[in-house]
Amino acid sequence: MWTTPATALLALQYPIVQGPFGGGLSSVELVAAVSNGGGLGSFGAHLLRPEALAPLADAIRAKTARPFALNLWVSTQDPAVPSLTEAEYLRHRARFEPYFEALGVEAPAMPARFAERFEDQAQALLEARPHAFSFVFGVPPAWVLDGCRSRGIVTIGAATTVPEARALDDAGVDLIVATGFEAGGHRPSFLRSAEASLTGTMALVPQVVDAVRAPVIAAGGIADGRGVAAALALGAAAAQVGTAFLACDESAAPTLHREALFSDDARRTTLTRAFSGRLARGLHNRFVDEASAHGEVAPYPVQGWLTGALRAAALAQGRADLLALWAGQSAGLVRHRSAVALLASLVDEARQALARHAP
């Protein structure tokens, strides 16, 4: 029951992957808890400087001898950003002035660069040698994939459509995450716009399974063992769980964020570009409404740079209405505060669900 192509490739006890969280929400403790429990712990590292990746891998290895994944964004710049002028940046920043004033935050100057170069991060990741390299927003260059193969690093790419899954498969990616629009956080589409790539998990997973050679990991809307069982029944070789692990005490999500995932507010999520400039799913709040009413959002990562300047003050002042509180549509199913308890529950409930429907 628990032996699948994914567990074999990743040397896992259970076909359960912890979704990687960017934006400072991942933690060494959560990765270690999931990996030590027999799943695959994952750390979202796309905001880290290249030189931070090796120490991060070492810190994780100090807490677990089991496999883990580091996650990067292949595309860290949108086409509009390299040509952004300072005047255009200031025009985008002007829309944030009321928020800066309300929170007592100084408006940030335009930086020399808004994000780390993927190529530099990828080289550092190869040198850090995690057991697995997961990535979103595209297909890495051949030299990166070749470097992973030569070092025995398992590659895991994300797809939101069948054509994206085929592109990853054609490049020789080891495992493909088929992520439905129910998932929390960013929509990692790369062949078409995210808005044109909104297929649900139940529809996407079996189509991807039928279209590619690589084993498939199902993601989006999975927060309990019933979802894990459903993913396996659809032909997936593993299930990726994000929001439910984000709600656990071991994650680096602020208390305000974690508590929101246990509240009635968690039952209303929305897809928005308001916080980063890229389409992402999180809890609905005032900032989402006001960005929508304005009708213009800066491109990624400019919008993220500007909202990031508000984050510390908004957290300190308890202003959940101004924060990106990432959550998937399964947030209403969240009930565990311990990653160890959650993982055990996922396994037990999946086993029971599969047994109930066994011939």
Side-chain angles (χ1 to χ4, degrees), residues 44-274:
H46 79 277
L47 292 183
L48 298 183
R49 294 179 63 84
E51 55 267 30
L53 295 184
L56 169 62
D58 289 342
I60 296 172
R61 289 191 184 99
K63 291 184 175 293
T64 181
R66 303 285 299 169
F68 64 90
L70 297 184
N71 179 273
L72 296 176
W73 290 17
V74 176
S75 169
T76 57
Q77 294 282 342
D78 281 349
V81 175
S83 61
L84 188 79
T85 67
E86 185 168 6
E88 289 170 330
Y89 171 76
L90 293 175
R91 180 175 63 81
H92 290 304
R93 193 181 73 176
R95 293 196 301 276
F96 284 78
E97 290 298 340
Y99 302 111
F100 294 138
E101 293 176 7
L103 293 173
V105 174
E106 184 177 350
M110 181 175 175
R113 61 181 181 185
F114 289 95
E116 300 297 326
R117 290 181 71 249
F118 167 74
E119 293 78 7
D120 297 336
Q121 292 178 315
Q123 183 59 55
L125 184 142
L126 291 174
E127 295 168 5
R129 293 195 179 211
H131 186 84
F133 167 36
S134 67
F135 49 88
V136 293
F137 289 113
V139 182
W143 69 265
V144 176
L145 296 177
D146 290 343
C148 287
R149 292 186 195 101
S150 68
R151 292 167 174 80
I153 300 171
V154 177
T155 52
I156 309 172
T160 64
T161 65
V162 169
E164 289 177 354
R166 285 178 174 147
L168 292 164
D169 201 41
D170 290 344
V173 173
D174 295 317
L175 291 157
I176 296 172
V177 180
T179 175
F181 70 26
E182 300 93 331
H186 287 86
R187 303 301 304 139
S189 305
F190 60 91
L191 291 183
R192 295 185 300 178
S193 72
E195 287 85 353
S197 307
L198 298 177
T199 304
T201 304
M202 286 285 289
L204 181 64
V205 170
Q207 292 184 68
V208 171
V209 168
D210 289 347
V212 301
R213 299 177 299 272
V216 174
I217 299 170
I222 302 172
D224 62 19
R226 294 172 296 179
V228 174
L232 297 176
L234 290 171
Q240 181 167 291
V241 178
T243 302
F245 278 117
L246 184 64
C248 293
D249 292 339
E250 293 93 337
S251 89
T255 301
L256 181 153
H257 190 165
R258 285 186 280 108
E259 290 303 318
L261 295 176
F262 288 95
S263 73
D264 289 339
D265 292 339
R267 297 185 181 276
R268 185 184 182 190
T269 66
T270 188
L271 286 167
T272 180
R273 290 181 177 266

